[in-house]
Amino acid sequence: MPTYTAPTRDLQFVLQDVLKVATSDIPGYADLEREFTAAVLEEAGRLSTEVLAPLNAVGDREGCRLENGAVRTPTGFAEAYQQMRDGGWMGLDADPEFGGQGMPYVLNCAVGEMFVSSNMAFNMYQGLTHGAYSAIHTHGSEAQKATYLPNMIDGRWSGTMNLTEPQCGTDLGLIRTRAEQQDDGSYQITGTKIWISAGEHDLSENIIHLVLARIPGGPDGVKGLSLFIVPKFMVQADGALGARNAVACGGLESKMGIHGNATCVMNYDGATGFLIGEMHKGMRAMFTMMNEARLGVALQGYAQGVVAYQNAVAFATDRLQGRAVSGAVNADGPADPIIVHPDVRRNLMDQKSFVEGARAFTLWGASLIDRAHRGKDAEAEAMISLLTPVLKGFLTDKGFETTVLAQQTAGGAGFTRDLGLEQFVRDARITMIYEGTNGIQSLDLVGRKLPAQGGKAIMAFFEMVKTFIAEHDGNAALATDFLPPLKAASKDLQAAGMYFMQTGMKSPESALAGSYDFMHLFGHVCLGLMWSRMAATAAAQLEAETGDPAFLTAKIATGRYYMSRQLPATAMHLARIQSGADPVMALDPAAF
């Protein structure tokens, strides 16, 4: 059975020492004092290790069951869900006006990493609710907020988002679900939605579905879509639950992973729904959920890598096989632990350097969301808009790769269910697909985000890197192993951007053929920047003798590994980008 240890020390290091949340000028961050965040992380870590992690294999083994239209979740999920409610975890960063605790989003993400690593399928129930809460909070009427948000924040009710239909996923303009207005101002929703996470289950008393549908007579395509609240049970004037709405689960998907989460076919047969926001402006409201969900999926990707890496280390430390080439280190035993072998060490360093860099990148992204929303900062909004497809695409690709590396560390044992590593591989795989496939993320990055506002955000990113390098010029700890490779990688990113500017208009296929490589190139530069920041922090603490020397030394060594062994991949991605569309588009479709 796999184990999980909450990485509270490293989360604290990123929050308090690298991001310096307690002294940040972001509104609300003054509450994030070191002792407070430590207490929150420790309690979330305890819940993750003692309650959620033991249920992870249970959920994978049992899955969900559909019985007479009702979905039964795995053994222990209901009790764990109640503990999450009792602890107030579902409303950690929600609006206090509706019963939330009002903490910054960055703290919610730090806590969320532990919940996802310990039990990704379980955490999805509350994760989808958080997205639905955000959409209603941003776009709903005052009456809608008062009706739905308190119970969703409490966890008494849960939420979903319903986009995909059998004939469309990425191209939402093909949605057929219709919404016909009634005399009382409500709408009758009719249609079928598929792949709806947490669409039906027994954990909450009510499920608040947010459904994209088309009002007859509206514009074609996505411009004619509207967003509706469709509750599983109707809510009466006094807040009590009334009759069952005409929405039902028509089936459960049989999936590769995340078995503990109910992925449903949802049938709407004239169900009563209520318009959120303006008519035909549903995509704007839905993107409130989708952008948040994409950062959440980025977190899922690396969080599965975290727990897989921990178990790979445990296996490599215990497994005896062969002798170290430099001489036996376990002379009294029949063989040495495999962690002594350079190739196993390379494997583990690939994992460690990614997950720790990804953690810093994600929490930095969360702090940008806080700055944008709490501080009404347009520049932060532009920056996180640019970075969101990089976060989602790069971290989930590399997160899945990390789980595979962890599985490889264990050799044949990693292929068996007993060790548990194969579940992390299967669960992580979905993160590259849902909330917009990673190919779509790369197209969004190059086609929309990169040229937005004349490229203002990407230029601000380049200036950020340039400023960091200038500020640390002369820092001996960074002079050789961090600043030169970061500068080189940033130049590769600039060269790629210049290539798109020069060729994109006359050859759009050339830009789009290189979009995936650009997303990864950008991701590596972001992790290079994060590792440089962490190394600078660790070196300063070592010099001042204010931290744990072993932890700080390991941090610098891990960063040095990333800068020397991973960051040079930017040159490869640039070469691919500059090869243009010809190698990609050369074959006639019939030749495949």
Side-chain angles (χ1 to χ4, degrees):
M1 289 288 291
T3 60
Y4 174 66
T5 302
T8 52
R9 178 170 63 173
D10 203 49
L11 286 164
Q12 272 284 84
F13 174 75
V14 175
L15 288 173
Q16 296 293 346
D17 301 326
V18 179
L19 298 179
K20 301 184 184 301
V21 293
T23 57
S24 170
D25 61 352
I26 298 174
Y29 272 40
D31 295 331
L32 301 181
E33 297 177 348
R34 185 178 294 270
E35 294 76 13
F36 174 74
T37 57
V40 172
L41 294 175
E42 287 297 329
E43 181 57 24
R46 184 200 63 78
L47 185 63
S48 298
T49 56
E50 297 178 9
V51 177
L52 302 185
L55 294 175
N56 196 37
V58 175
D60 184 60
R61 181 175 63 250
E62 293 185 7
C64 296
R65 308 184 313 278
L66 179 62
E67 300 175 351
N68 300 318
V71 171
R72 308 300 179 193
T73 53
T75 302
F77 272 41
E79 292 78 9
Y81 187 84
Q82 186 60 49
Q83 288 195 50
M84 297 291 283
R85 284 188 59 195
D86 292 343
W89 295 106
M90 298 175 187
L92 185 64
D93 67 333
D95 191 340
E97 181 180 350
F98 302 102
Q101 298 180 49
M103 290 291 106
Y105 181 60
V106 71
L107 183 60
N108 190 67
C109 281
V111 167
E113 180 200 310
M114 293 184 282
F115 291 161
V116 171
S117 288
S118 58
N119 198 323
M120 176 174 158
F122 174 87
N123 192 67
M124 289 174 65
Y125 291 100
Q126 64 192 47
L128 271 295
T129 302
H130 193 283
Y133 151 82
S134 295
I136 296 174
H137 187 266
T138 302
H139 300 283
S141 67
E142 293 304 315
Q144 288 171 338
K145 294 177 188 178
T147 298
Y148 299 104
L149 295 189
N151 281 318
M152 294 175 74
I153 290 170
D154 173 76
R156 184 181 300 275
W157 299 351
S158 58
T160 70
M161 62 177 180
N162 289 233
L163 289 77
T164 306
E165 298 183 4
Q167 78 286 350
C168 72
T170 299
D171 189 355
L172 295 176
L174 299 177
I175 280 177
R176 297 173 185 165
T177 298
R178 67 182 186 273
E180 298 182 352
Q181 190 166 13
Q182 305 301 295
D183 292 340
D184 63 358
S186 67
Y187 290 79
Q188 281 193 347
I189 312 297
T190 302
T192 296
K193 298 289 185 177
I194 63 171
W195 303 335
I196 308 306
S197 300
E200 169 64 27
H201 56 83
D202 56 3
L203 302 181
S204 61
E205 297 175 6
N206 201 7
I207 303 176
I208 311 305
H209 301 288
L210 295 194
V211 183
L212 271 182
R214 192 177 301 280
I215 299 173
D220 293 333
V222 295
K223 293 182 179 180
L225 296 177
S226 301
L227 186 63
F228 300 88
I229 294 174
V230 186
K232 175 181 175 180
F233 290 100
M234 300 302 295
V235 182
Q236 301 181 98
D238 61 358
L241 297 183
R244 175 72 184 255
N245 206 351
V247 53
C249 175
L252 290 177
E253 301 290 350
S254 179
K255 301 167 297 186
M256 176 180 176
I258 55 170
H259 295 159
N261 193 268
T263 306
C264 304
V265 175
M266 301 301 300
N267 295 320
Y268 295 86
D269 188 15
T272 299
F274 307 95
L275 181 68
I276 300 180
E278 300 178 48
M279 186 182 297
H280 311 317
K281 301 294 184 183
M283 288 301 294
R284 183 173 63 182
M286 185 59 82
F287 268 110
T288 299
M289 297 176 66
M290 290 177 68
N291 287 333
E292 176 183 304
R294 284 170 178 170
L295 184 64
V297 173
L299 187 151
Q300 287 181 333
Y302 88 79
Q304 288 301 287
V306 168
V307 65
Y309 161 69
Q310 289 185 2
N311 284 272
V313 171
F315 185 91
T317 302
D318 293 339
R319 174 69 166 172
L320 302 181
Q321 199 91 143
R323 290 294 186 186
V325 294
S326 56
V329 298
N330 181 33
D332 295 334
D336 291 333
I338 64 172
I339 200 169
V340 305
H341 303 308
D343 191 60
V344 173
R345 197 71 66 86
R346 170 202 58 80
N347 196 327
L348 293 174
M349 287 298 287
D350 280 350
Q351 298 169 54
K352 180 178 174 64
S353 64
F354 166 71
V355 297
E356 292 183 14
R359 174 178 295 130
F361 186 20
T362 302
L363 293 180
W364 175 50
S367 73
L368 287 172
I369 290 178
D370 280 331
R371 183 174 294 280
H373 295 173
R374 288 170 171 260
K376 309 300 181 184
D377 189 320
E379 292 183 0
E381 183 69 51
M383 183 63 72
I384 190 57
S385 179
L386 172 70
L387 293 176
T388 293
V390 183
L391 282 155
K392 196 280 183 184
F394 182 69
L395 296 193
T396 58
D397 275 354
K398 302 299 285 187
F400 173 73
E401 179 182 310
T402 298
T403 65
V404 174
L405 289 172
Q407 185 183 41
Q408 187 73 16
T409 305
F415 200 67
T416 67
R417 291 205 167 180
D418 288 343
L419 194 62
L421 281 165
E422 57 87 34
Q423 182 190 345
F424 303 134
V425 174
R426 289 185 288 105
D427 286 355
R429 185 63 181 88
I430 185 58
T431 65
M432 303 160 71
I433 298 172
Y434 60 15
E435 301 307 334
T437 66
N438 287 356
I440 293 298
Q441 300 303 316
S442 71
L443 297 181
D444 177 52
L445 173 63
V446 171
R448 294 180 63 245
K449 302 300 176 60
L450 193 62
Q453 296 181 301
K456 184 177 179 180
I458 188 67
M459 295 306 295
F461 179 84
F462 290 141
E463 186 62 29
M464 183 187 307
V465 175
K466 180 180 178 181
T467 299
F468 177 87
I469 292 173
E471 289 176 345
H472 291 84
D473 185 37
N475 185 332
L478 304 183
T480 302
D481 298 324
F482 289 91
L483 298 185
L486 177 60
K487 186 175 182 179
S490 181
K491 285 186 175 181
D492 286 341
L493 185 62
Q494 292 178 58
M498 184 62 67
Y499 174 82
F500 290 149
M501 288 179 61
Q502 293 172 345
T503 64
M505 293 297 292
K506 60 183 179 182
S507 177
E509 285 187 340
S510 291
L512 298 183
S515 62
Y516 211 93
D517 279 283
F518 185 80
M519 180 177 72
H520 272 250
L521 198 168
F522 203 164
H524 277 298
V525 175
C526 288
L527 258 64
L529 178 60
M530 294 300 102
W531 271 116
S532 297
R533 287 179 174 176
M534 288 190 287
T537 301
Q541 291 186 356
L542 279 172
E543 183 177 359
E545 299 182 350
T546 57
D548 177 358
F551 172 83
L552 298 171
T553 300
K555 183 66 67 176
I556 294 172
T558 306
R560 187 178 293 118
Y561 179 90
Y562 192 89
M563 304 303 281
S564 63
R565 301 277 300 204
Q566 295 294 325
L567 196 55
T570 60
M572 175 193 69
H573 290 300
L574 176 61
R576 289 176 175 176
I577 290 166
Q578 292 176 335
S579 72
D582 289 347
V584 176
M585 305 300 291
L587 287 182
D588 185 271
F592 283 92

